[in-house]
Amino acid sequence: MDNKEQKHTDVNTLGEFGLIERLTSDVGTHHDTTVKGIGDDAAVLKYGSEHLVVSTDLLVEGIHFDLIYSPLKHLGYKAIVVNLSDIYAMNATPQQVTVSVAISSKYSIEAMEELYAGIKEACRRYDVDLVGGDTTSSPKGMTISVTAIGKVDKDKITYRSGAKKGDIVCVSGDLGSAYLGLQILEREKQLYLSNPGIQPDLEDQQYVLERQLKPEARKDMIAYFEKDKLVPTAMMDISDGLASDLMHICKASDVGAYLEEAKIPINQQAQMLAIKFQLDPITTALNGGEDYELLFTIDEKDLEKIRYMPSTYIIGEITDKEDGIKLHTSGGNIHPLKAQGWTHFSE
Ligand code: ADP
Ligand code: MG
């Protein structure tokens, strides 16, 4: 390391994905045990006949969660679930997790027990072993890092890169609700801060609040695929938003795609709330993050298999790369799809 003056370029100029690319584009892999490195929902490793998938995520107080409205138990649960979601996105079955936390002195033992009650509940529910981690102090707030490890048969791994022209684009559930849940919580927080005596008005909002505070990973979808002997050609979980995540699949697969607006599932309560917030429901479905549904593509010949599969919605089709990524609107227009995925740096 030398000490010469370094240029200072704001990380916001690149955004999250641009920064990852900048830092890792020259990172290769050198072991034959590394099947897939950076660039998918999880890395894929091969030891003997078994393939392992590994994924890690970091949650930072004030960026990814706010303890004013996120109960610690829910936070612990969510920290595990969002990682398992990345394992399921590879069509794999999670087996173990490690959990590392950095906490400031404002956290009590009781508070940490609450966090761990949620972590343990998720481990039970998803049948994974908590096998390690690290605990350290932090000057301010809390940071949680979870690593999840899963296993999968080699021929069943679903990368982002396997979509091809003519494949059908599917999603496992409704979109936009988690984002609307967050809008409500943010609004209530502002009201509370200006008048702590106020009672929150959360009537008719349970569904979207639960989607934000206590999401579930789609373990059941992996079981349906197994039962129907279906292997999606590509898959990822929707953490940043449908538009942004479809773009990841298209980029990795070197294809284009179109989505049909009318077919994108939106929960009725979410639809009404979007309108109340003067948001376009379809925009929240395309760009709202954190729904943790699975976005996957299947070969045309497997159409019959998904027609009756529970919670599977056909929302579009894969096209040639030259055709771009488009939205066919309910009104009959065609627009290029825009993604405004979450750039956490600017939050
Ligand atoms: P996801 O939203 O599915 O968690 P990300 O967008 O966070 O995926 O990451 C995309 C890819 O980049 C993954 O393969 C991830 O492991 C890798 N990645 C993210 N951050 C880093 C980093 N700081 N160093 C190396 N690889 C990273
Ligand atoms: Mg993912």
Side-chain angles (χ1 to χ4, degrees):
M1 294 264 167
D2 52 33
N3 283 330
K4 75 170 182 258
E5 287 253 326
Q6 294 239 318
K7 254 173 72 183
H8 177 95
T9 314
D10 192 327
V11 288
N12 287 303
T13 56
L14 285 176
E16 179 186 344
F17 305 130
L19 180 63
I20 295 173
E21 204 157 300
R22 168 86 164 250
L23 297 177
T24 63
S25 60
D26 60 350
V27 174
T29 61
H30 309 287
H31 292 286
D32 56 9
T33 45
T34 311
V35 178
K36 171 81 192 175
I38 294 164
D40 218 301
D41 292 293
V44 180
L45 317 177
K46 178 182 70 173
Y47 286 94
S49 58
E50 237 13 315
H51 277 64
L52 302 181
V53 298
V54 181
S55 176
T56 193
D57 261 315
L58 194 59
L59 298 177
V60 178
E61 183 173 353
I63 303 282
H64 303 98
F65 60 91
D66 187 328
L67 290 166
I68 286 196
Y69 50 66
S70 187
L72 278 162
K73 191 171 170 185
H74 285 43
L75 178 63
Y77 191 88
K78 181 170 175 176
I80 299 296
V81 163
V82 301
N83 264 272
L84 301 185
S85 179
D86 277 322
I87 301 294
Y88 293 122
M90 305 302 289
N91 205 18
T93 307
Q95 306 281 295
Q96 291 92 9
V97 287
T98 64
V99 175
S100 301
V101 286
I103 46 168
S104 71
S105 52
K106 78 172 178 188
Y107 290 99
S108 63
I109 295 172
E110 291 77 14
M112 294 310 288
E113 282 176 338
E114 272 294 294
L115 179 78
Y116 267 73
I119 290 174
K120 290 175 203 169
E121 187 182 325
C123 289
R124 262 195 308 277
R125 173 113 178 221
Y126 288 91
D127 194 20
V128 296
D129 296 329
L130 173 58
V131 294
D134 198 15
T135 306
T136 183
S137 56
S138 146
K140 200 166 165 281
M142 182 189 303
T143 301
I144 309 170
S145 171
V146 176
T147 297
I149 300 160
K151 65 172 186 180
V152 57
D153 286 349
K154 177 174 174 283
D155 341 326
K156 293 188 181 149
I157 305 175
T158 51
Y159 294 105
R160 295 178 181 180
S161 56
K164 46 187 191 352
K165 186 184 175 186
D167 283 358
I168 297 156
V169 180
C170 307
V171 70
S172 62
D174 69 272
L175 300 172
S177 292
Y179 174 78
L180 285 160
L182 184 63
Q183 299 314 301
I184 289 169
L185 292 166
E186 285 289 344
R187 187 191 62 178
E188 291 302 326
K189 177 181 163 185
Q190 296 312 325
L191 288 175
Y192 172 81
L193 291 176
S194 59
N195 180 4
I198 206 163
Q199 283 299 313
D201 165 26
L202 300 176
E203 278 284 301
D204 296 332
Q205 301 171 352
Q206 284 85 345
Y207 180 74
V208 298
L209 289 173
E210 193 159 318
R211 292 283 275 173
Q212 169 59 223
L213 291 175
K214 195 166 180 284
E216 299 293 350
R218 297 309 304 266
K219 177 183 182 172
D220 52 339
M221 293 305 295
I222 302 319
Y224 298 141
F225 295 150
E226 174 78 25
K227 182 165 161 279
D228 287 347
K229 303 207 169 6
L230 173 72
V231 179
T233 50
M235 183 150 71
M236 70 179 292
D237 68 330
I238 304 185
S239 48
D240 294 321
L242 172 62
S244 163
D245 290 333
L246 179 66
M247 284 177 188
H248 284 308
I249 285 188
C250 287
K251 189 172 177 211
S253 299
D254 213 25
V255 292
Y258 69 82
L259 293 177
E260 287 186 45
E261 178 183 353
K263 299 219 172 138
I264 296 172
I266 303 177
N267 170 273
Q268 210 184 348
Q269 187 181 84
Q271 184 123 18
M272 273 151 46
L273 283 167
I275 293 163
K276 192 169 152 190
F277 278 104
Q278 294 181 320
L279 295 165
D280 183 4
I282 192 68
T283 308
T284 63
L286 286 170
N287 295 306
E290 297 199 289
D291 286 307
Y292 299 105
E293 294 296 343
L294 293 172
L295 172 65
F296 56 98
T297 58
I298 61 151
D299 193 291
E300 268 178 299
K301 72 171 169 31
D302 288 325
L303 184 59
E304 280 311 307
K305 290 187 183 172
I306 57 157
R307 238 192 242 293
Y308 302 105
M309 191 175 279
S311 57
T312 297
Y313 301 83
I314 296 174
I315 57 170
E317 197 176 308
I318 297 295
T319 57
D320 277 325
K321 185 182 182 181
E322 293 67 40
D323 296 331
I325 307 173
K326 302 272 166 64
L327 179 70
H328 292 188
T329 69
S330 309
N333 293 318
I334 298 179
H335 296 300
L337 195 62
K338 290 200 191 72
Q340 45 201 62
W342 289 19
T343 41
H344 290 300
F345 299 128
S346 56
E347 282 188 329

